[in-house]
Amino acid sequence: MSQMQQEKELTENILKVLKEQAADSILVLEGALKLNKDLYVHTIRTLDLLAMEPGMVNGETESSTAGLKISAEEIQCQVCYDLGAIYFQQGSTNAAVHENAKEKFFKTKELIAKNGSSSLHFTIDEERLAGYCQACGVLTSSSDDVSQQATPYSQIHSCMKSGNYQDLVKIFLEDNLTLSLPVQFRQSVLRELFQKAQQGNDALDEVCFKVCVCNTVCDVLQGRTIDIQFCQLFLKPSKEKIDFLLEVCSRSINLENASEALKRKMAAFLKNLCLGLEDLQLVFMISSHELFIKLLKDDERKLLVDQMRKRSPRINLCTKPVTSFYDIPASASVNIGQLEHQLILSVDPWRIRQILIELHGMTSERQFWTISNKWEVPNVYGNVILGIKDNLTRDLVYILMAKGLHCCAIKDFVHAKQLFAACLELVTEFSPKLRQVMLNEMLLLDIYTHEAGAGVSGERPPSDLISRVRGYLEMRVPDIPLRQVIAEECVAFLLNWRENEYLTMQVPLPLVQTNPYVKLGQLLAATCKELPGPKESRRTAKDLWEVVVQICSVSNQHKRGNDGRVSLIKHRESTLGIMYRFLLVHGNIFFSLQEPLVLTTILSLFVKLHNVREDIVNDIAAEHISIWPSSIPNLQSVDFEAVAVTVKELVSYALTINANNHFWLIIQADIYFATNQYSAALHYYLQAGAVCSDFFNKMVPPDVYTDQVIKRMIKCCSLLNCHTQVAILCQFLREVDYKTAFKALQEQNSHDAMDSYYEYIWDVTILEYLTYLHHKRGETDKRQIAIKAIGQTELNASNPEEVLQLAAQRRKKKFLQAMAKLYF
């Protein structure tokens, strides 16, 4: 054994002996308390006398006063303190033992008061003794009412124990004046109340609020920051809450004797409270309270009222809306700054036009589409719009489109439609090109509106919208500026609503050849159609694979340096693919997909591509992964870093669509496992099992918890130093891995709950090994736990196979639920 193991074993043996002798030691100490005579200890003088007169073996006579005198009271003082400490440690579950400890500590205190604390013959930590006395006073019920009520600590403990919360709040209120309770103690009481409330005791919600208010006012008076719990409880204030708060404030400060600093703190608190409330009736309750009037001066109250008035919403009197866009007359001019401010805030197209007419009437030199840097129009449109000669029309078209795109981005589809409709009406009169642009943007808006509205519940889009999507893809109008995102969203829209027949059979061939997104959509749709069929018929899967591999490839170019050497330069984008990798990976076509089969297909493709590398150790599992080729001719040409990033982004997006897809959760777990994030990996492995087994109340399907998944969970637990969990998971394998389990159990530096997990072990061989191991180490308590686990009748090897399987399944369920609570 190493030196550390030897020292540990030696220490354990010493502790074992001491534990065995503890009862005898206590009897000896209790007997020592019965000695009522002083003792004498040899000194140098008496030892010299012994040396000179060897005949006096026992020193001087028993009645002699030679040597160092130690009085009986000093002995009793030390022994009482030691016995009290022993009883206190033993009394965690026994009130009678605590009573005994209390008696010994109080006796120690009396003897110290009588003999003084400067004696050299006993060593007692008086601060620790005071703590022991206080703890015993709280933990034991005393018939002495005076001592019981001596400190607020014992009163609070009594109230918590008996459920007398009314008196508890009263104690906190009274202490707000004396400030005798430490802030940490106040917070610990509140935390305990919150925990009881969260366990289902709804009646405690009000008590939590009242104690929290008392603590907050105490914090205010002592200059500390207000706790977040107070802010959360005051998210929905009521008249009753305000009444209690004002009562606490009034009873926590004595205005006659309070310092100016204390008054200013309370005044600032009430003032900020008013500013944070939206209900003016509640504000009036505070501002009209006697304490508020006394603390704040007249000018301060007036200023506060003005601030509240400015903050309250103004009444907007609207005139009757006009019917025609061109019938609105321009109003008289006002300050340019105010108009520009209104222009920035307004999303009403009619109001925007009116403001611009007024601004252009005041000055013809400004370009008002530039006043906000938040107004952004795609470059492909910007050149056309800024080419409009009339300044007013140019500003109006630019601002309407920019605001419409912004509303679309923040999913304010109602205002976006109004802005686009107004812009369409405006440009129809003079620009067929911009008219088609607006029709395209309105198509994209309708797609977004359906996907966010009726599409969420699975309702198919109207046939008119599908026809418009097809019409956009087949459109061949020359010189029309097109945004690539619209083509992406249109293809994703057709894939989401299973328009596979159109994509595979009806889409025009020239469109497939010229639009890379349509080609990608066609290959995806065809692959999804063939998935249920035999592997030999999946020709389109191979075509899709080759297209994606080409897009993810990099082109190599040789360049000669100044020193004449040839260096290899990698270009991140290959020009041979149907589109640039950036457009594929960071575009909208994949991240707008919501059809599970299509998402699973493209995800499995990138996972397979990620796994193709020869040097990859941690393969990622995915559904339908077998349909893709298993090799690439030119491995060095693929940018695997980009592929890894794509897999991460795709699975993260997929889980936003369906967070309960266990196959996607396994992929996410494998990614974390491959990147050495073992705690996160366990979280997702457990989540994958939980969602397909009703939180482990049913059996996890074997195609979810495969041997590979279990082995990875074992490795995660091992690297997190949770060795008992490793041993339990070794049972989950089709063939129990005893070698790994035994090796894990031999580890003594385990970060899990160790013996508390033994109840989850159903393999008797592992339990027998545990019994042997604890016996060898002299760990009697843990050995008893292991023996108790073996002794369960349901684990008897003579039981029918069904009983043994049920026992294993019950333990699997309880263990996985415990693990889930640990890692979720």
Side-chain angles (χ1 to χ4, degrees), residues 382-430:
N383 297 330
V384 181
I385 295 172
L386 297 180
I388 299 172
K389 293 180 180 179
D390 181 66
N391 292 341
L392 173 61
T393 307
R394 178 199 60 211
D395 287 347
L396 188 54
V397 172
Y398 190 98
I399 293 170
L400 288 174
M401 179 175 282
K403 283 179 174 284
L405 291 169
H406 173 71
C407 289
C408 195
I410 63 173
K411 294 183 170 50
D412 183 1
F413 300 129
V414 175
H415 283 119
K417 193 156 193 172
Q418 293 173 0
L419 291 158
F420 282 163
C423 194
L424 176 64
E425 183 183 346
L426 179 61
V427 299
T428 299
E429 298 295 328
F430 65 89

Side-chain angles (χ1 to χ4, degrees), residues 802-821:
E802 295 81 5
V803 174
L804 294 173
Q805 287 181 358
L806 281 171
Q809 189 56 38
R810 187 168 68 87
R811 283 163 174 76
K812 279 185 182 180
K813 165 193 164 183
K814 291 177 69 178
F815 172 69
L816 290 171
Q817 286 176 342
M819 286 277 282
K821 290 175 183 175

Side-chain angles (χ1 to χ4, degrees), residues 58-104:
N58 294 320
E60 296 175 338
T61 60
E62 194 173 326
S63 60
S64 172
T65 58
L68 178 65
K69 177 184 174 183
I70 302 176
S71 69
E73 288 185 344
E74 287 177 316
I75 295 170
Q76 288 184 351
C77 185
Q78 183 68 58
V79 172
C80 279
Y81 180 74
D82 292 340
L83 276 173
I86 294 170
Y87 290 141
F88 189 86
Q89 297 299 332
Q90 291 180 340
S92 57
T93 56
N94 192 336
V97 179
H98 267 147
E99 283 285 356
N100 205 346
K102 178 181 176 182
E103 179 188 336
K104 297 293 185 289

Side-chain angles (χ1 to χ4, degrees), residues 432-686:
K433 189 182 291 188
L434 284 174
R435 178 181 179 277
Q436 188 59 52
V437 165
M438 292 314 304
L439 288 173
N440 296 343
E441 289 296 333
M442 292 184 78
L443 169 63
L444 181 61
L445 175 62
D446 288 343
I447 290 174
Y448 286 152
T449 305
H450 178 78
E451 297 287 16
V456 174
S457 58
E459 184 180 330
R460 278 190 65 80
S463 56
D464 171 60
L465 181 55
I466 295 175
S467 300
R468 286 167 60 201
V469 169
R470 293 181 182 180
Y472 173 82
L473 292 173
E474 297 172 11
M475 180 179 63
R476 284 292 168 270
V477 182
D479 300 328
I480 297 295
L482 299 173
R483 277 212 298 158
Q484 202 62 54
V485 65
I486 305 179
E488 293 179 85
E489 291 290 353
C490 285
V491 173
F493 178 80
L494 293 174
L495 288 168
N496 284 337
W497 296 104
R498 297 173 289 283
E499 290 292 317
N500 296 339
E501 194 66 31
Y502 170 77
L503 285 169
T504 53
M505 305 293 291
Q506 299 173 18
V507 64
L509 184 60
L511 178 58
V512 177
Q513 294 170 342
T514 56
N515 192 322
Y517 295 105
V518 173
K519 181 174 179 61
L520 200 63
Q522 185 185 63
L523 291 170
L524 258 173
T527 303
C528 291
K529 278 178 67 177
E530 292 178 358
L531 268 180
K535 189 175 180 181
E536 295 75 21
S537 68
R538 295 169 185 160
R539 171 65 195 169
T540 50
K542 186 180 178 184
D543 293 340
L544 177 59
W545 170 266
E546 290 173 353
V547 165
V548 173
V549 168
Q550 189 63 61
I551 293 171
C552 294
S553 296
V554 291
S555 59
N556 299 331
Q557 179 182 351
H558 294 280
K559 184 179 179 182
R560 191 175 296 278
N562 295 330
D563 56 357
R565 294 182 181 179
V566 175
S567 60
L568 182 66
I569 297 177
K570 272 194 174 183
H571 292 280
R572 288 300 178 187
E573 300 289 349
S574 171
T575 56
L576 301 177
I578 62 171
M579 69 178 76
Y580 286 119
R581 189 189 70 245
F582 180 85
L583 295 175
L584 177 72
V585 175
H586 299 286
N588 284 49
I589 185 163
F590 290 157
F591 298 98
S592 295
L593 293 173
Q594 299 192 26
E595 170 60 27
L597 182 59
V598 183
L599 254 177
T600 300
T601 303
I602 197 63
L603 188 53
S604 69
L605 187 154
F606 275 98
V607 166
K608 183 68 175 182
L609 188 54
H610 175 273
N611 292 346
V612 162
R613 283 173 69 177
E614 293 176 356
D615 60 339
I616 202 77
V617 178
N618 303 311
D619 281 357
I620 300 173
E623 202 177 5
H624 306 311
I625 201 168
S626 62
I627 68 173
W628 312 110
S630 55
S631 62
I632 298 174
N634 187 5
L635 207 63
Q636 290 75 24
S637 66
V638 178
D639 188 348
F640 285 103
E641 289 181 11
V643 172
V645 171
T646 306
V647 171
K648 290 177 185 176
E649 292 184 357
L650 272 174
V651 74
S652 296
Y653 167 72
L655 288 172
T656 64
I657 301 301
N658 181 5
N660 293 328
N661 187 307
H662 49 271
F663 289 114
W664 296 347
L665 288 165
I666 291 288
I667 295 173
Q668 182 70 285
D670 283 347
I671 291 171
Y672 281 121
F673 179 83
T675 53
N676 304 327
Q677 299 178 69
Y678 302 113
S679 182
L682 275 173
H683 168 89
Y684 282 98
Y685 283 133
L686 289 164

Side-chain angles (χ1 to χ4, degrees), residues 139-156:
L139 293 170
T140 57
S141 56
S142 173
S143 57
D144 184 3
D145 292 335
V146 178
S147 64
Q148 179 71 11
Q149 300 300 324
T151 64
Y153 298 102
S154 54
Q155 295 174 10
I156 290 170

